Amino acid sequence: MKGARFSGLRRFWDEYRQVKSGLIGIGLLVVFILIVLLEPVALPYRQANERWRDINYWQDSPRLALPVWVNWFTSKDYPRSTVISEPKREEVATGTLRVITMEVPYEFTSGHPPSDLYYKLYLTGRASIAFEFIRPDGEKVELRRSTAVDGAQILRLSAIETLQERAYALGAKYEDPNVAKSRNPRMIDTMGVLFGQAARGIFIKPAILDGTYRMRIQVALVNEQSQLNKAEFVVLGGVSGILGTDGDRRDLWCGFIAGTKWALLIGLLTSLISVVVGVVYGVAAGYFGGWIDALMNRIFEVVLSIPLLPILIVMSAVFNPSIWIIIAMMCLFFWVGPVKTVRSMALQIKEHSYIEAAKALGASHRRILFRHMIPQLIPYSFASMALSVPGAILYEASISLIGLGDPTIVSWGQVLRDAFSSGAVLQGIWWWIIPPGVAIALMGMTFAFIGFAMDTILNPKLKTR
Amino acid sequence: MYWKYFVRRILYAVMILAITVFVFSALFSTVAEQVLRAQIIEQVNAEALTLARQRTSLDPNAAQVFREYRTQQLIRRHSLDQPMAVRVVKRTLDALTLQLGNSTQIKSAAGETDVMTIIAERIPRTLLLFGVVAVIDIVAGVWLGMRKARQAGKLMDRSTDIVTMIVFGLPTWWLGMLLIMVFAFAIPIFPSGAMHASPPPESSLGYFLDLMYHLVLPVFTLVILGFWGRAYITRNIVLSTLQEDFIMSARARGLSERRILFGHTLRAAAPPIVTMSLLALLGSVGGALIFEGIFSWPGLGNLYWVAVQQNDIPVLMGNLTVTTALYIGGLAFLDLIYGFLDPRVKVGGKA
């Protein structure tokens, strides 16, 4: 009995194997599922999911860095990020005053300046700090700062944030005075000047100065309670990770990985629920006929004539729903998809003599519907399910793009939203825009391949003339 | 007999619209009333202020009495003192007669806050964009679909099928972003958005050309993604028409394949192709709402973006009502065309 019921599926699979695009679809689906399963291993930042919107979590990665592989295609390499933790300390004590000196040599040969560099100091108590940026040509840029905070604190001395005006002073020594005067000291390209050759044009288009840069820092601890617990020197490169970083320093590869599971979940759950509801609804309408059919048809037509996206937008704007509510709202409208076809198929199946035989044997309506009619619609249901997955993903992405997505998850649509709203399109930040869209398209393609493959099997007359 | 079908279909559309709007009114009743109350308080405050300015000697007690009286009056006028069911029904009737209330933030070009005015000035712009797209889309789609049907199963058919599947889940708005990046940032030959240069050209010819220039990129984006789907539908309808008996008899009569395809098949297949295509386009209007925002095309879709950003609930709901009405109207219109082209439809209508 069991074998008989599934022999249809077996035959279906044998036919399915003949369709090449269908197999590609299955292959892609397996890849996506693998990505979801391997997420814990594949995420370079472990807490990317929970802390996607936490600025502090991402502060140690570069802003708008290109993907690492860009270096394979450019003659001028972008520097990579490096962290030197606990540089060698030299300590000189005079009474209660202790001066710790650290110097890190930074061998620099890239074609572009790094996007930032900084010392990160874990301090307790009072300290006064001098930061010196010594260039290969002997020029120095210096910064002094004293800090007095009770208790522990983390101090970041970032070149971009603290050395800008001093970099301007350095550049102004070499640049054409007229050009120098026309520049706003707060608008110059700090890293370009710091790593630029000391010559005219340093403000306009600085040539890169190769060599060993030395970053010296002196921490003067004022009293015995003061401590330097830990020190790190960090260079933020121009490239980072497989897909680069966005304007909020977030690693876009993490965004891709984290978004995969949500896309799959949204697509599969929505299509599963709505196809199950739609198939049962359609079969019931076709089977019962009469006024039940007429009523069910009316309800179906009302739902069908509501434009889905506008109502989703307004409902999201009014109720600020979570992702589960969004999925539920989509199901409310998606179930109409298979109804029409299923109903007409049910009308045909109903006329078969074995249904009549089952009726004559006293089988209940439920038994006839679920044992005799619906199993025959399973192949069609799968095709319909596969074809409604991309729609669900698209709708979630669209809602997210307008800014109404669930803020507790990371979805591809939300990454695109951030890109669009921070003007990535008109700044040409392609690595922020292309990957999430390609991901959505690939996911859609996966299910389109699978669905269309099933469709050709179910409608053999469409194959050739 | 056609006019009977016509009247029935229109009445049916109105009924569906009424049900839908009723559901919306019930669903968003709480938030709509909150906004309305806030608007009433604001209006009364403004009136009291004017009154105080006009009559400086006004007794503060009298001012208070005026406020309370006026608030009550407005609450009664908007039926906010009625039971829930009455309020919902009244709001449904208001929406159906296009009295959509006043916006909280957004203003029309002339500075009015009437929601219907704001929406009305945007409708033609959306219709223009999608009208142009629909025409190009269907012409290109039918052309490709006929070619595919002629060579069904051959390389051309299969390769274009693959493209159809590739673009199936591709968001139009994402392609829009990409094309803006390419054609407005990397190779700046097209504007990145909007409907006109600012300020728009004075002469009417210049105005027209400028409009066309701004239309190119959005239309191109929509068509390049859309017409594959139209081609796929056309191909399938043509192929199933080719199985019909009258085609076989035409073949038996020795007619040329070209005549069979363009004379007999396309003629019989035209009504479903046109309606299916328009239906698909109508269905894609939803996605295209987002699309307008990307190109800052100042139509209905863009209004959703603006209203969401400014949290303007009355505009959002008014826009929803109007979009739904247009959508349902579009569906009815399609049925009417179909009934006109294919007389079988209006007789039975059984699937």
Side-chain angles (χ1 to χ4, degrees), chain B residues 54-74:
Chain B
Q54 281 167 354
R55 287 193 252 163
T56 38
S57 60
L58 195 69
D59 177 15
N61 261 339
Q64 191 55 36
V65 169
F66 166 77
R67 273 163 188 264
E68 270 166 29
Y69 172 74
R70 186 71 181 136
T71 311
Q72 286 309 317
Q73 194 184 23
L74 285 172

Side-chain angles (χ1 to χ4, degrees), chain A residues 170-183:
Chain A
L170 168 78
K173 282 207 298 196
Y174 297 96
E175 182 59 277
D176 184 342
N178 291 327
V179 176
K181 233 177 267 168
S182 68
R183 296 287 153 132

